[in-house]
Amino acid sequence: MKKLLVIGLLLLFGVSYSQKYKITYLKSSNGTLIENQDPVWVFTNVNHTLLSSEKIRNQKTDYPYEETTIDRSTNSFYQTAFLNSSEIIATKDSIALAKQTFEYLNETKKILGYNCKKAKTVVNSNTIEFWFTEDLKVKGSPSVLGQNLGLVLEMVRNGNFVIKATQVEKIDALPYFRKVTRLVDGLTYKDLLWKSRFTTISVFKDQIINFSEESKSNDSILRFANGTIAVRKIKIPEIKSGSQIFVDVTEQSNGDAYDRTGSFFIIPTNKSISFLDGLQNGLKSLPIYNNGNGKEYQGVTATENYNPVVELMRFYTPFGVKQYNTLQLKDKTWAENVLYRQDVSNLRTLLSGKEVWVGIFIGNYDKGGHKVSANITIHNEEETKKVATQIVPLFCTNNIMEMAGQEYGTMFNNEKGLQVTFRLDKPIKNCKLRYITTGHGGWENGDEFVPKKNTIVLDGKETFSFTPWRQDCGSYRLSNPASGNFPNGLSSSDYSRANWCPGTVTNPINIDLGDLEAGNHSIQIKIPQGAPEGTSFSSWNVSGVLIGE
């Protein structure tokens, strides 16, 4: 099949005695020519049209890029994608051209001296107008749209985006296709082309996060806390400033029916002690935080020789998605899994060009637990002016080692709350606190269901306060098949909560702290934590990272 495809593509531009043309097009938006653009080239004769660009023909671009070839003898086209220096894929479509319909209008005008007629179509609510000429006895367009109208010299989308011919040249021969490595169906082509536009680092694939003494580590993935934590070391390439970085986690129940706290996190290892020591050697190897309430909190705050984990993303599992989809309700079609995805571009310097320990945690006591996949994706943008960025991990009370005995974040039951002293070797400009907070205590008066004000105090002065609260939890009902249903007609997953919902991400907020001088500083988090009732108690998972220039 591959050999036949290559031969077919080479024959596509065989000998023809008809006149051949090269048309150059430029794009403009709202009447202004787009800067630093590469022209679109259309090569055409009576039988064929090739859509290319200066980038492709002169090899001046980063991958991926595309060419399109129209075969008028079969009214079909090949879409060809250059994914990298060695992989070229193509797909054939014999339907799209035939399905195009147009409204022909009475307007005419001249473009580059050629008489042009006007046609119009609507695609996905976009109105597209075509100015085409029949003077040259050939057909072509700078897009797959309008290929059979005539030679399209101008396309206008929604009245403000224009692709217009700037030059029409006679040429001796049309270019040939390059060798294609494989022919694929249309959906596969789109998927491979899309994925080639960014870098994907697969961190975990169908990883079970459960509670079982049978959970074991392997050569690449370490398991801790009876299997509720998975950790591995990964290499991250250099990331250009200005690029976008995303993390994503896909989760489904593998047995556990409940809404659980999850965290996708990095373990800083730039000091003599790290959270990895706690995982490998036990909680006693981590620094202890005391706030005077008689409890010891392991590994939650930065010290001179320790940095806490940095949460890339905190998420909450829904009630039993996938595993409990058999619990049917009328007019409810349950989701097969939940996708959590978040922008972490402001943590670039923590990731770029480094080997890092990355972990994932879901608190549960179920032998089946949860199945997760997790990725980091890097989406390159034009390099921006590089600004030296400092990232300083400060605290994380999310007790990721919960199932190994790490204390819950109950330190907010007195005036001191959580207080961290830290030292800056250099001043930080435009400093922000990347702050994640969620309240817990799952009974009627617990802090999960009671709004509580969070107050941030910097160097003894109140800097910011707000009440974290989510009122949209009912939007995620279809991810919660095992959620309890109450006499009032609500499901448990419908109820508003302290900055989280079953089946969602908890977004960080970026709190402006201004410019911080070099030297010692302190930051304090104050929350009016609710009192225990019997064996029930409230707690708060808060994490904070300083980010600044």
Side-chain angles (χ1 to χ4, degrees), residues 34-96:
I34 295 174
E35 295 181 358
N36 301 318
Q37 67 174 292
D38 289 278
V40 174
W41 286 345
V42 169
F43 302 89
T44 186
N45 66 7
V46 171
N47 298 315
H48 304 102
T49 298
L50 172 66
L51 281 66
S52 188
S53 78
E54 181 186 9
K55 279 187 174 182
I56 298 172
R57 288 292 143 194
N58 296 326
Q59 296 286 287
K60 290 182 178 179
T61 187
D62 292 331
Y63 295 96
Y65 47 77
E66 291 183 276
E67 286 185 342
T68 304
T69 302
I70 313 300
D71 182 356
R72 302 198 186 284
S73 64
T74 59
N75 203 32
S76 61
F77 67 91
Y78 287 93
Q79 197 79 28
T80 305
F82 300 75
L83 302 183
N84 51 57
S85 59
S86 61
E87 187 173 14
I88 305 172
I89 61 171
T91 189
K92 183 179 179 181
D93 191 324
S94 302
I95 299 174

Side-chain angles (χ1 to χ4, degrees), residues 290-431:
N290 291 290
N291 77 335
N293 67 0
K295 293 186 177 182
E296 293 185 340
Y297 301 95
Q298 309 99 334
V300 298
T301 60
T303 67
E304 185 178 351
N305 58 359
Y306 171 80
N307 276 329
V309 301
V310 175
E311 291 191 285
L312 294 171
M313 180 170 66
R314 188 181 303 171
F315 61 93
Y316 287 88
T317 71
F319 288 91
V321 68
K322 177 64 175 179
Q323 182 72 18
Y324 293 89
N325 285 5
T326 53
L327 301 174
Q328 295 182 346
L329 291 178
K330 190 173 179 61
D331 298 327
K332 295 284 191 295
T333 301
W334 305 121
E336 289 294 304
N337 54 45
V338 173
L339 172 67
Y340 314 89
R341 191 163 187 251
Q342 192 166 72
D343 185 346
V344 295
S345 303
N346 57 354
L347 298 176
R348 182 184 69 87
T349 57
L350 198 65
L351 303 169
S352 178
K354 296 177 181 176
E355 278 193 325
V356 294
W357 285 97
V358 182
I360 194 164
F361 153 79
I362 297 176
N364 72 98
Y365 289 96
D366 188 89
K367 189 172 183 178
H370 302 257
K371 181 187 290 186
V372 296
S373 296
N375 305 290
I376 299 172
T377 60
I378 302 166
H379 307 259
N380 286 327
E381 299 280 357
E382 292 294 328
E383 188 95 30
T384 60
K385 181 182 178 181
K386 290 186 177 180
V387 177
T389 303
Q390 290 193 61
I391 296 179
V392 183
L394 291 180
F395 53 86
C396 180
T397 70
N398 188 353
N399 53 331
I400 289 168
M401 290 179 67
E402 176 185 356
M403 283 68 198
Q406 186 180 14
E407 184 60 67
Y408 292 81
T410 56
M411 67 280 290
F412 302 98
N413 63 350
N414 63 20
E415 183 63 24
K416 182 178 179 180
L418 176 70
Q419 187 167 350
V420 185
T421 300
F422 60 97
R423 179 174 179 80
L424 296 178
D425 295 329
K426 300 176 182 179
I428 298 182
K429 293 182 179 181
N430 302 317
C431 185

Side-chain angles (χ1 to χ4, degrees), residues 147-187:
Q147 284 290 336
N148 290 327
L149 288 171
L151 180 58
V152 175
L153 296 180
E154 183 177 330
M155 286 178 60
V156 183
R157 186 185 68 207
N158 297 329
N160 55 22
F161 181 80
V162 178
I163 305 176
K164 187 173 182 178
T166 60
Q167 188 176 22
V168 177
E169 305 170 73
K170 291 182 180 180
I171 56 176
D172 295 328
L174 300 183
Y176 281 93
F177 253 103
R178 313 237 174 87
K179 185 178 180 180
V180 174
T181 53
R182 54 181 168 142
L183 182 64
V184 297
D185 64 86
L187 281 178

